[in-house]
Amino acid sequence: MGRSALKPSLLAVSIALQGGINEARAEFSGSVSVEQRYFLQDAIYTAQPRAQSSVALSPEWFTEWSDGDNTLVFKPFYRFDQEDSERTHYDIRELIWTHLGQSYEFRAGVGKVFWGQTESLHLVDIINQTDLVDAIDFEAKLGQPMVSFSYYFDAGTLSAFVLPYFRERTFSGVQGRLRPMVPISNDVAFYESDDEQSHVDYALRWQQSIGDWEIGLSYFTGTNREPLLINTGSIEAGDLELFPYYELIDQYGIDLLWVNDSWLYKFEGIHRESETVSFFAGVAGLEYTWVGALGSNYDLGWLIEYQYDERDSNFFVPSQNDLMLGVRWVWNDFDSTEILFGFIQDLDNTNSYNAYLEASTRMTENWKWTMNGYFFATEDIENPYYFIRRDDHVEFNVEFFF
């Protein structure tokens, strides 16, 4: 699900240092936020809370030199959760050096890369691991150690990535919500590769703008960011445990965007191969924006997307044959107020659906509030949402930017 990337312009500390012919500039900024989750129903599993509070700190340090040809960005992240010790975690979202040449870009360190065009699913986006305890919408990502080189030429941009270390997905603990009956282990994981987290992954991407079209082609080979789940023990014996298993995969991807006046046509598709499965998945849709709806200052966007996946349902793949309908309401005001509502219907089972609501606005130059709601419904025990069918919740977040 897409999320507005609003970042108000906040207080920054700038330092100019004269050193021969070079000038260095540094800025320090960031945010601190307080989040309150409230679950609308009592938990299915014992020890889970009805309410969940947390605090997150996201500072950012940026410096550039050599007339902007070299930059260094450092973005650590820390969240403390009152209830779930596994959601209390620290991460380096970015610690990346970038060097810009006349027709190329070189990056090294810990970085974030986003690929994709669609709203409801980001199938081709595979470089960074999902930080699932931080956000249920799969939008939060862990920093990825990488070296990348991008070459710009008339035929587009060609980027190559070397990814020397794998990040494991994060999961809720015993006292966390939004999990299966037995918590997934954060301490023990299994790998197809003998190198485990040290396996070196590689990726290539070509992208180009041709008239009103944006085209991306990608290839990834390495450790799958989306784990399988394996179990030991049994429910009857009371020693059932779930562990993530990370396969080696080859993934081929394509993403397309066609801009036609107020219409956006979008597509993402992947073909993935591993020892256990070979499959195709795709999502296609369109978005129409009614600018100045009914003569107002508001913009209304209408979205529809179809999701298809050849795999059977598992905890991380809820959409095999689903339809998403959404509306985006943009106020175009000084406070950047925006509301997005999405409803996803399982076309194979009319009783299975999920919905989400995302709203945000700036209160002052330094303060912003965000409200997100997530709702799940199914009676099908094979549907991934069956395990979280009573985890409907609302998140209210107040964020201060400095």
Side-chain angles (χ1 to χ4, degrees):
M1 306 162 213
R3 188 188 293 261
S4 173
L6 170 68
K7 279 193 176 180
S9 177
L10 290 317
L11 175 65
V13 179
S14 297
I15 306 170
L17 301 173
Q18 295 294 335
I21 61 173
N22 293 328
E23 179 179 294
R25 182 175 66 88
E27 296 181 353
F28 179 74
S29 59
S31 68
V32 59
S33 63
V34 177
E35 178 190 90
Q36 179 64 51
R37 281 180 172 179
Y38 181 75
F39 293 87
L40 306 184
Q41 303 177 69
D42 289 331
I44 302 176
Y45 316 121
T46 58
Q48 291 182 309
R50 187 71 180 263
Q52 192 172 356
S53 303
S54 67
V55 178
L57 178 64
S58 304
E60 177 178 344
W61 183 71
F62 169 86
T63 186
E64 64 176 17
W65 63 97
S66 302
D67 296 325
D69 290 342
N70 292 280
T71 63
L72 181 65
V73 177
F74 179 40
K75 296 182 181 179
F77 173 83
Y78 177 75
R79 181 179 295 280
F80 171 78
D81 191 276
Q82 179 188 25
E83 300 289 343
D84 186 1
S85 60
E86 297 293 350
R87 195 169 186 243
T88 296
H89 66 301
Y90 168 80
D91 183 45
I92 297 178
R93 298 302 203 212
E94 293 186 69
L95 179 55
I96 195 84
W97 167 56
T98 303
H99 173 71
L100 296 176
Q102 187 172 0
S103 58
Y104 68 90
E105 176 185 278
F106 177 81
R107 304 175 75 215
V110 177
K112 294 181 72 174
V113 175
F114 174 77
W115 298 344
Q117 299 289 355
T118 54
E119 177 73 30
S120 56
L121 285 177
H122 303 309
L123 292 174
V124 301
D125 188 37
I126 196 171
I127 295 292
N128 291 86
Q129 178 61 275
T130 299
D131 189 353
L132 196 58
V133 296
D134 196 58
I136 190 60
D137 60 5
F138 293 87
E139 297 288 338
K141 299 291 182 176
L142 299 172
Q144 171 62 49
M146 66 172 64
V147 175
S148 70
F149 181 84
S150 297
Y151 179 66
Y152 307 99
F153 58 113
D154 292 341
T157 301
L158 184 63
S159 301
F161 300 83
V162 179
L163 313 169
Y165 185 79
F166 177 75
R167 304 294 311 278
E168 295 178 355
R169 186 167 292 194
T170 57
F171 305 108
S172 298
V174 174
Q175 294 179 312
R177 303 284 293 247
L178 301 160
R179 63 169 175 83
M181 177 177 59
V182 177
I184 304 168
S185 175
N186 282 290
D187 301 319
V188 178
F190 296 92
Y191 292 84
E192 179 181 343
S193 170
D194 292 337
D195 294 328
E196 299 186 340
Q197 287 184 280
S198 298
H199 184 274
V200 180
D201 304 336
Y202 301 94
L204 287 172
R205 178 172 169 84
W206 171 79
Q207 58 190 77
Q208 173 67 308
S209 299
I210 304 175
D212 297 328
W213 286 85
E214 296 284 341
I215 304 171
L217 299 176
S218 58
Y219 170 70
F220 172 89
T221 180
T223 306
N224 194 0
R225 274 56 180 155
E226 183 181 278
L228 301 175
L229 293 181
I230 59 177
N231 64 77
T232 62
S234 66
I235 297 178
E236 292 77 9
D239 59 354
L240 180 65
E241 293 184 277
L242 293 177
F243 303 97
Y245 173 72
Y246 296 98
E247 294 183 290
L248 294 177
I249 63 166
D250 289 293
Q251 176 173 302
Y252 305 84
I254 180 172
D255 55 277
L256 303 171
L257 173 66
W258 178 34
V259 181
N260 184 16
D261 294 328
S262 298
W263 293 85
L264 301 178
Y265 299 87
K266 310 175 185 181
F267 174 78
E268 290 187 32
I270 61 170
H271 176 73
R272 185 181 297 170
E273 299 173 352
S274 71
E275 277 196 349
T276 61
V277 68
S278 176
F279 70 93
F280 167 80
V283 54
L286 56 87
E287 179 175 353
Y288 173 75
T289 301
W290 184 8
V291 179
L294 298 174
S296 68
N297 292 325
Y298 304 136
D299 294 344
L300 279 177
W302 307 95
L303 304 94
I304 181 171
E305 291 183 353
Y306 172 69
Q307 306 168 349
Y308 173 78
D309 197 308
E310 289 184 324
R311 290 172 292 178
D312 293 332
S313 294
N314 67 54
F315 188 71
F316 305 112
V317 188
S319 303
Q320 282 74 41
N321 180 30
D322 295 53
L323 185 67
M324 187 277 280
L325 302 174
V327 58
R328 192 194 317 273
W329 185 14
V330 180
W331 289 32
N332 292 317
D333 58 346
F334 178 78
D335 296 325
S336 301
T337 306
E338 184 172 331
I339 300 172
L340 173 66
F341 175 75
F343 180 86
I344 302 175
Q345 176 65 56
D346 186 339
L347 299 180
D348 294 324
N349 188 336
T350 58
N351 293 321
S352 298
Y353 60 86
N354 70 92
Y356 59 92
L357 174 69
E358 301 174 355
S360 65
T361 189
R362 203 166 54 194
M363 296 181 288
T364 69
E365 187 178 75
N366 299 93
W367 289 90
K368 172 188 173 183
W369 67 260
T370 302
M371 186 183 73
N372 300 319
Y374 301 98
F375 313 94
F376 315 95
T378 186
E379 298 174 359
D380 180 6
I381 194 171
E382 296 183 356
N383 190 298
Y385 291 126
Y386 186 82
F387 298 102
I388 57 174
R389 64 193 182 278
R390 292 176 62 178
D391 284 343
D392 298 352
H393 67 283
V394 176
E395 295 176 352
F396 188 76
N397 189 298
V398 177
E399 192 166 8
F400 174 74
F401 294 84
F402 54 85

